Amino acid sequence: MNLRRRAVALASVSLATPEDSGIRIHRGVREKRWIELRITWYHLFTVLNDKMVNFGKKLMADQVEEWKGYYINYKLMKKMLKQYVQQTQLGGKDREQVLKEFSRILDEQIERIVLFLLQQQGHLANRIEELGEQRAALLEQHDISQVFQLREAYREVGRDLIKLLRFVDMNATGIRKILKKFDKRFGYRFTDYYVTTRANHPYSQLQQVFKQVGIVAVVGALSRNLAYLQDHEGSVLSIYDHPSVTLKDPIIDQVNHAVQKLTHATSFLQFLGQHALIIQEDVQSGSEDLVDDQSYHFMSLILNLVNTFLYMVNTYIIVPTADDYAVSLGAAATVCGVIIGSMAVAQVFSSVYFSAWSNRSYFRPLVFSSIMLFAGNLLYALAYDLNSLTVLLIGRLLCGLGSARAVNRRYISDCVPLKIRLQASAGFVSASALGMACGPALAGLLQTRFKIYSLTFDQSTLPGWVMCIAWLVYLLWLWISFKEPGHFAKSSDTAQPAESGHQVNANLEEGLAQPLLTGSEEGQDQNAEDNDDNEEESKNSHGPATSISSAYKLLTPSVKVQLLIYFMLKYAMEILLSESSVITTYYFNWSTSAVAIFLAILGCTVLPVNAIVGSYITNLFEDRQILVASEIMVLIGIIMSFRYTPHYSVPQYVLSALITFVFAEVLEGVNLSLLSRVMSSRLARGTYNGGLLSTEAGTLARVVADATITAAGYLGPDLLLNITLLPPLVICIASLVATFCTYNTLY
């Protein structure tokens, strides 16, 4: 039942008398319930009307009156689309003719927008120049009252600049939406064609809309001049000499916010948040209304981040000693690939059921995860005394079955308020990176050996014992402190009869979480033409994917290429990390402590690299440019890793490993950032979401990589390095070719 029908049903209940519904209760209680239901009914229709405000109406409502003739004619473009659909169905026009005509119309729309934009930029620049002359004369006089007036004049320019930024934002959104509508109506990748032919052209006007260099220059001039007037005496502070100094001015804050919203500027936190592939849905989507400051529970978020951290520690704490453990149990050193990879094998399956489980609860999956990881680490530690490789592998499989990363991602996406979701997403990535670094470092500290009764504690078994205790402590903390989100608790209450408005509220929240479908009430027909989210589109395109096959059908060529890149970089990183102990022992005779330090140093590069890329590099280059450059550098790192001569040196290995690992980390962040943009919004929620798909791609890469190490080990340690590097080399070249083929769609 859609939301409108829920509203009608609730209205009929609220307008019915208690006698009609067979309820005989005290008159005072009845009147109280009557008032509660009417209030709830009113709020529901208020929310419903807010949801029904589509982009066409929003564009009309938010237009600057004197600029009306310069906005994209969204209504006209939609009418043209409708006419083209009818004409092609009747055979009046072929698709190529429609393509050219619609491209010409859209070109004209964009040209009008851009020419007006340049004109307004010129007006603002002239006003700033005139104010600059006044400022130069004023600073010599030190007249405080005139300084105040001049500052207000600059702020007035800032207010007009905000209007212009909103103008560009509305038009850019309209262009994106109309391109998407064309693709949907015709089943043709018009966006690919249009962007390919317009974006990189030397006379591109599309770039003027989406890359606002002129506007940013005006923002810089305005900020610089206001900085000179920072205090009443006329400070000579320069924003260029002191970039770390933040100008405290409300107008500049609003301007910067508008610029960031418009250009999607990628700060460090945004970069980390997209690195986690916690896809942000539209701010106006119903799911946002379910999360508020009252229902948000900070300790539950911390427990999810701690779960992420401990799981990454659990994954990498055994890497420096896995080969020694395999040898002590009578297996070859290269069986470490199977030991490390068995956890990833189980994670392929656990990601799916944890993702489905998180539709109903977060607490129970986390409890189950902790129990599985406790049991798995216990078996891993006992395998030495039992002298059983089978027990060791079962322990690692149980650890993989306890992977709750899908739950951690989903909790942040669904249960954290929008205003702090970016920080929470960054915390997720930071916890993962910290765990990746702490795992090997902790293994390096466990270089001891002793026995308690018949149990052996050494460098091979201590990682299992330490993690066993860690998960037990975590389980107790989880049991005491975790709070199940309100929408789960309320949904369970709806199964019981309610004597008050609580059941109605729970049903309301449940309804708001569903896609909004248009109804057929009177008075809506006249607005049908302007409705962006009509009934047909809602049914077909608003629901989440319900199976792997339906999710796969939503993958465009761009998305498939990004998943291939993700597979490649995870493959290359797993080869580097998992065989590091075997390679360094064979060629350089490194100790376990040396391997642990080396891996810890690699892990410690994650956050600094992301900070540099997120704060600086992404502001200088497009994401797709960084993507290609990172792929090339990963390819160079892989090529440098090969052993070309009988003598394989430490500098060659360390340098090639650093290049491969660092640029794979850069590539991962940019790759997931692009993936979150080009992926269908239907993959932003549900069991088979974008996070699950990327997790599965990365996990499969790790499984294949670890299997490759074990298989190559049968050819001897001398050939291990070169044999294991061949697959990532081939996949990296293939991903580069695929990237160039889809380069113009990554816009």
Side-chain angles (χ1 to χ4, degrees), residues 590-656:
W590 281 7
S591 65
T592 301
S593 297
V595 177
I597 293 171
F598 171 68
L599 294 177
I601 291 173
L602 287 181
C604 288
T605 63
V606 174
L607 288 179
V609 167
N610 281 328
I612 294 170
V613 175
S615 300
Y616 301 104
I617 304 300
T618 53
N619 293 326
L620 299 175
F621 303 98
E622 295 179 14
D623 281 358
R624 56 182 180 173
Q625 293 173 328
I626 303 172
L627 183 85
V628 173
S630 300
E631 284 185 83
I632 293 172
M633 291 306 297
V634 170
L635 180 61
I636 292 173
I638 293 172
I639 293 173
M640 288 178 59
S641 299
F642 279 89
R643 181 171 66 90
Y644 298 100
T645 62
H647 177 67
Y648 193 56
S649 65
V650 173
Q652 180 187 351
Y653 176 76
V654 172
L655 181 60
S656 61

Side-chain angles (χ1 to χ4, degrees), residues 238-496:
S238 172
I239 61 172
Y240 303 115
D241 295 333
H242 304 278
S244 61
V245 176
T246 303
L247 178 59
K248 300 295 183 182
D249 191 281
I251 294 298
I252 294 300
D253 289 342
Q254 293 178 40
V255 169
N256 288 334
H257 177 74
V259 169
Q260 289 174 3
K261 182 177 183 294
L262 178 61
T263 62
H264 303 286
T266 310
S267 67
F268 179 40
L269 288 180
Q270 287 173 314
F271 187 76
L272 288 180
Q274 290 171 325
H275 199 132
L277 196 61
I278 297 170
I279 301 176
Q280 302 289 340
E281 297 184 57
D282 238 350
V283 176
Q284 296 177 350
S285 66
S287 62
E288 300 297 351
D289 296 332
L290 294 176
V291 183
D292 54 34
D293 291 335
Q294 293 180 347
S295 62
Y296 162 64
H297 190 236
F298 176 73
M299 185 56 68
S300 298
L301 172 61
I302 294 298
L303 284 163
N304 272 277
L305 297 181
V306 172
N307 183 280
T308 298
F309 168 76
L310 288 178
Y311 185 79
M312 294 303 290
V313 172
N314 211 147
T315 301
Y316 289 100
I317 193 173
I318 71 159
V319 172
T321 58
D323 56 336
D324 290 336
Y325 207 165
V327 171
S328 67
L329 296 178
T334 52
V335 175
C336 68
V338 173
I339 296 172
I340 297 169
S342 56
M343 194 169 176
V345 171
Q347 191 179 342
V348 172
F349 304 99
S350 67
S351 297
V352 178
Y353 67 72
F354 271 118
S355 183
W357 203 349
S358 62
N359 291 326
R360 301 185 299 275
S361 173
Y362 295 106
F363 176 68
R364 288 190 290 273
L366 290 175
V367 169
F368 177 78
S369 166
S370 304
I371 293 172
M372 295 297 286
L373 284 155
F374 170 79
N377 283 290
L378 182 62
L379 290 178
Y380 183 86
L382 292 173
Y384 182 87
D385 293 304
L386 296 174
N387 194 28
S388 174
L389 183 63
T390 303
V391 172
L392 184 146
L393 293 176
I394 291 174
R396 290 294 288 179
L397 285 169
L398 289 178
C399 288
L401 291 174
S403 171
R405 287 173 66 80
V407 179
N408 305 143
R409 276 196 181 103
R410 185 74 178 272
Y411 185 88
I412 294 172
S413 178
D414 291 355
C415 304
V416 175
L418 182 65
K419 63 182 180 181
I420 63 169
R421 191 172 301 163
L422 197 60
Q423 290 91 325
S425 302
F428 177 83
V429 177
S430 300
S432 299
L434 188 61
M436 186 178 181
C438 288
L442 186 57
L445 298 175
L446 301 177
Q447 302 302 302
T448 185
R449 182 181 178 87
F450 59 91
K451 296 194 73 169
I452 299 178
Y453 298 107
S454 59
L455 298 178
T456 302
F457 297 85
D458 62 8
Q459 64 174 13
S460 297
T461 62
L462 275 171
W465 290 116
V466 168
M467 295 311 303
C468 193
I469 295 171
W471 285 112
L472 182 60
V473 172
Y474 174 80
L475 179 60
L476 295 174
W477 183 18
L478 180 73
W479 195 271
I480 295 169
S481 302
F482 191 86
K483 180 182 177 182
E484 190 76 278
H487 58 282
F488 286 136
K490 290 178 182 178
S491 64
S492 63
D493 291 340
T494 59
Q496 303 173 358

Side-chain angles (χ1 to χ4, degrees), residues 73-87 102 178 181 185 529-530:
N73 195 332
Y74 191 69
K75 189 172 183 179
L76 171 66
M77 302 297 284
K78 286 176 59 180
K79 281 185 177 179
M80 295 298 298
L81 273 181
K82 188 175 181 181
Q83 291 176 9
Y84 285 142
V85 170
Q86 294 173 347
Q87 290 171 356
F102 195 76
I178 208 66
K181 279 185 176 294
R185 294 287 180 86
E529 186 176 62
D530 287 332

